[in-house]
Amino acid sequence: MFEKDVYTARRRTLLEKMSGEKGVALFLGNVESPAQYKDNCYKWRQDSTWLYLFGIDEPRLAATIDLETGEETLYGDDYTVDDIIWTGPMPSVRSLADSAGVARTASYDALKAALEGRKVHFIPASRYYNALLLADLLGLSPQECFSSGKAGCKAASEPLVRAVISMRLVKEQREIELLDRAADLGIAMHTVARAGIRPGVVEQEVVGRMESVALSYGWGVSFPTILTQHGEIFHCHSHQMAFEPGRLVVVDAGLELNEHYASDFTRTYPVGGRFSPRQKDIYQTVHECNELAFSMVRPGVAYRDVHLAVARHMLGRLSELGLVKGDVDAMVEDGIAGLFMPHGLGHNMGLDVHDMEDYGENLVGYDDDQSRSPQLGLGSLRMARRLTQGNVITDEPGIYFVPALIELWKKEGSDKGCVNYSKLQDYYNFGGIRLEDDVLVTADGARRLGSSRLPISVEDVEAAMAQD
C-alpha cells in the first residue's frame, strides 16, 4: 500500500473527472472465495479497482464517494473475538479508513440504506459474489452487473468507467518502479525455465521451479503459467509432457508482486538448445516483428497501426518462404496474417496482467474514433489506442501453425488464393513461436521494463542454453 496521500489524490482526481454527475460512486472490495467449503478459500486477491483507489488489501469492504458533496465512506465490520481466535489481532475498520484517508465509516450492512433513492455509479463486477451483491443493492440481475467481455457492461456507469480508465492507463512513477521490479522477477522466472528445458525432463518440473520464484519473491504468478511444446495452443496449461528433442517450447509467464503489479513475458526455446533451419526461419521473422513493433512505439502512434505493420512484415517474410503469395499490402487488407497470428499484438498491463479488461475491452483498448475489426487476428487486438506517455503495453508477435484453422481456411477459401496449402502441410507439427516483452511508452519513444532483457535473438538464445 502506498502512502494515504496517493489514494486521496487519486479519488480527488476521480471526483474532478466526474464533475457534473449526480449520485454516488460505489466501489466493492472482494470477499474471500471458498474453494470447497467456507474455511478453505482460494488464495486471497483484492479487486484491482479497489486497490487503485483505496489500497486496503483486506476482504469484505465497500466504499462510496458522493459525487455531489465529495463525502467518502468506508463500509466494513470489525473482527469479533470468535474471528480473532483464528486470525489473531486485526486492524479496525477505523484504522483502515485512516490508512486510506477516508473520513467516515459505517457497517457493511448499512450500505443498502445509504444507496436508497440515489443514482448509483458502479464499475462492472469481476467476481460473481460482487455481481450478486450489486444485483441485490440495485435491483438488477447478476448478469447485468458483469462485464460482457469486449462490449463491457451496459448497466455500469460509463462516465465512471471512462474516468477510471483515463487514470489507470497512464502509470505514475511509483507504479513504473513496481512494474520494473515485477519485470526483473519475471525475467528471473524465465531464466529458471530456460535452464530446465532439457530432453526427458517433464514440463511440470520446470513450471514448479518457475512458480517457486513467484511465490518466494511476490504474491505469485500473474496468470496461469503457459509452458508447452504445443505452442500453437495459445493457452495450453497442460504440463505433463517430457521435453522431446527437436520440439519448440513456448514459455509465457509472469509474476505478480505483493503490491499486485504484474509482468508478462514470452520466449520460445528449442529442446536440445539449437534451432533447426526451418525453426530458425520462422523464429527470425517473429524476432524481427518484435523489434519492429518496439521501434514504432512512441506517443501519438496508434497501436493498431503497429499491429498492421507487424502483419505486413510477417507476410513479406512468409512470402519469401513460399508459404503465401500475392501483393503484401492486399494480403494485409484481407486479413491473411490472421491465419498465422490469430491474436492481437499486445494489451495493457498494470495492476492486472490484462489491465482493466474487466471494464470492457473496447472502452479500455480503443479510442472513440476506432472500431474493432471483424478480421481474425486484428479483431483480437486488445490495445489499439493512440499511445500516450505512461502507457504500459506488451509487444508479443507470434507465428503459429494451427492445423484445424488451416484446414478450415482451405475448405472455405478464406485465403483468397494467397496461401500455399501444400507447403503448409509440412508445418502441421511445427507448433508455434511467440516473443513478448513489457514496454513503457516514454516522452519520446519507449523502453522495455526491467533492468535487463531476456535473450531473444537466435544466437543469444542458443548461447544462453549452452551455458545453462
Side-chain angles (χ1 to χ4, degrees):
M1 188 174 183
F2 299 122
E3 300 80 8
K4 71 177 179 181
D5 290 350
V6 172
Y7 302 103
T8 57
R10 287 174 176 175
R11 297 196 299 272
R12 186 166 55 248
T13 298
L14 178 63
L15 193 61
E16 292 169 357
K17 288 179 175 288
M18 294 291 288
S19 177
E21 295 289 339
K22 302 296 183 182
V24 296
L26 169 64
F27 302 96
L28 300 178
N30 283 339
V31 300
E32 291 190 304
S33 301
Q36 293 91 8
Y37 49 88
K38 177 181 178 294
D39 294 323
N40 185 23
C41 294
Y42 290 107
K43 187 175 181 181
W44 163 249
R45 174 54 156 89
Q46 184 59 284
D47 177 77
S48 292
T49 305
W50 178 270
L51 286 171
Y52 183 79
L53 291 171
F54 296 92
I56 306 170
D57 205 357
E58 297 290 341
R60 203 169 182 268
L61 296 169
T64 56
I65 301 175
D66 192 310
L67 300 178
E68 298 166 41
T69 67
E71 184 178 66
E72 301 175 342
T73 306
L74 180 72
Y75 298 83
D77 298 311
D78 288 336
Y79 282 72
T80 66
V81 171
D82 287 342
D83 298 320
I84 291 170
I85 290 171
W86 299 96
T87 64
M90 298 297 290
S92 67
V93 173
R94 179 65 265 162
S95 68
L96 293 173
D98 289 341
S99 71
V102 179
R104 291 188 70 249
T105 65
S107 70
Y108 200 75
D109 290 340
L111 187 57
K112 189 163 189 175
L115 300 176
E116 287 181 0
R118 303 296 304 275
K119 179 178 180 179
V120 179
H121 299 258
F122 71 91
I123 297 284
S126 60
R127 292 200 179 179
Y128 201 70
Y129 180 93
N130 283 351
L132 288 170
L133 179 57
L134 282 170
D136 178 62
L137 292 171
L138 305 178
L140 300 169
S141 70
Q143 289 72 24
E144 290 179 286
C145 302
F146 267 127
S147 171
S148 61
K150 294 175 182 177
C153 172
K154 291 183 179 179
S157 168
E158 187 169 326
L160 178 59
V161 172
R162 285 183 177 275
V164 177
I165 288 172
S166 70
M167 296 170 65
R168 287 180 62 185
L169 272 175
V170 179
K171 302 300 186 285
E172 302 161 1
Q173 181 57 38
R174 60 179 62 85
E175 294 180 285
I176 294 168
E177 291 170 3
L178 289 175
L179 286 162
D180 271 323
R181 181 147 60 89
D184 283 337
L185 290 171
I187 289 167
M189 286 177 64
H190 277 260
T191 301
V192 167
R194 188 186 67 234
I197 296 173
R198 295 290 182 269
V201 175
V202 176
E203 294 165 342
Q204 184 176 345
E205 295 179 32
V206 178
V207 172
R209 294 173 203 160
M210 290 176 67
E211 295 192 355
S212 72
V213 176
L215 290 170
S216 296
Y217 299 102
W219 177 87
V221 295
S222 52
F223 58 95
T225 297
I226 299 164
L227 187 151
T228 179
Q229 294 166 90
H230 283 285
E232 77 281 6
I233 303 173
F234 294 164
H235 288 173
C236 185
H237 301 300
S238 173
H239 305 133
Q240 81 276 14
M241 291 179 62
F243 294 118
E244 300 175 7
R247 298 289 295 269
L248 292 171
V249 182
V250 172
V251 184
D252 187 346
L255 179 141
E256 182 173 318
L257 297 175
N258 291 324
E259 296 88 350
H260 301 296
Y261 286 84
S263 62
D264 182 7
F265 295 101
T266 308
R267 289 295 186 267
T268 304
Y269 300 106
V271 180
R274 303 284 295 181
F275 293 99
S276 71
R278 176 181 293 175
Q279 290 170 345
K280 190 177 295 186
D281 286 339
I282 302 299
Y283 188 99
Q284 182 62 28
T285 297
V286 178
H287 180 207
E288 290 171 4
C289 288
N290 176 283
E291 298 291 341
L292 171 63
F294 179 74
S295 72
M296 293 181 65
V297 171
R298 64 180 60 84
V301 172
Y303 212 46
R304 183 182 189 276
D305 292 338
V306 181
H307 175 107
L308 290 172
V310 163
R312 184 173 295 106
H313 185 82
M314 179 185 300
L315 289 169
R317 287 289 188 242
L318 293 177
S319 180
E320 292 172 6
L321 295 174
L323 298 178
V324 297
K325 58 185 177 181
D327 180 78
V328 172
D329 288 334
M331 285 194 285
V332 171
E333 183 71 22
D334 290 335
I336 305 303
L339 177 63
F340 303 96
M341 191 175 86
H343 63 75
L345 179 63
H347 52 80
N348 291 293
M349 198 178 69
L351 275 167
D352 297 311
V353 70
H354 284 202
D355 212 24
M356 299 176 285
E357 285 185 10
D358 52 323
Y359 300 171
E361 284 185 26
N362 291 345
L363 284 174
V364 174
Y366 286 74
D367 290 318
D368 289 343
D369 62 350
Q370 294 175 323
S371 58
R372 190 179 286 267
S373 169
Q375 291 179 348
L376 183 65
L378 181 57
S380 295
L381 181 60
R382 291 179 161 98
M383 176 56 171
R385 285 178 178 268
R386 294 171 187 85
L387 299 172
T388 301
Q389 181 180 357
N391 291 161
V392 172
I393 55 176
T394 61
D395 167 11
E396 50 180 307
I399 293 177
Y400 316 85
F401 299 93
V402 185
L405 179 60
I406 295 169
E407 289 295 326
L408 179 65
W409 274 44
K410 182 179 180 180
K411 178 181 177 181
E412 297 182 348
S414 304
D415 65 300
K416 300 185 178 182
C418 297
V419 175
N420 186 343
Y421 290 107
S422 61
K423 193 158 188 176
L424 269 185
Q425 287 183 342
D426 295 336
Y427 289 79
Y428 275 24
N429 294 320
F430 185 96
I433 293 171
R434 180 164 63 255
L435 299 173
E436 177 183 18
D437 293 312
D438 302 338
V439 176
L440 170 69
V441 182
T442 62
D444 55 359
R447 73 168 175 87
R448 298 181 179 95
L449 290 172
S451 57
S452 62
R453 190 185 186 196
L454 285 163
I456 193 169
S457 70
V458 166
E459 297 76 16
D460 288 347
V461 168
E462 291 183 342
M465 294 190 78
Q467 293 170 7
D468 287 335

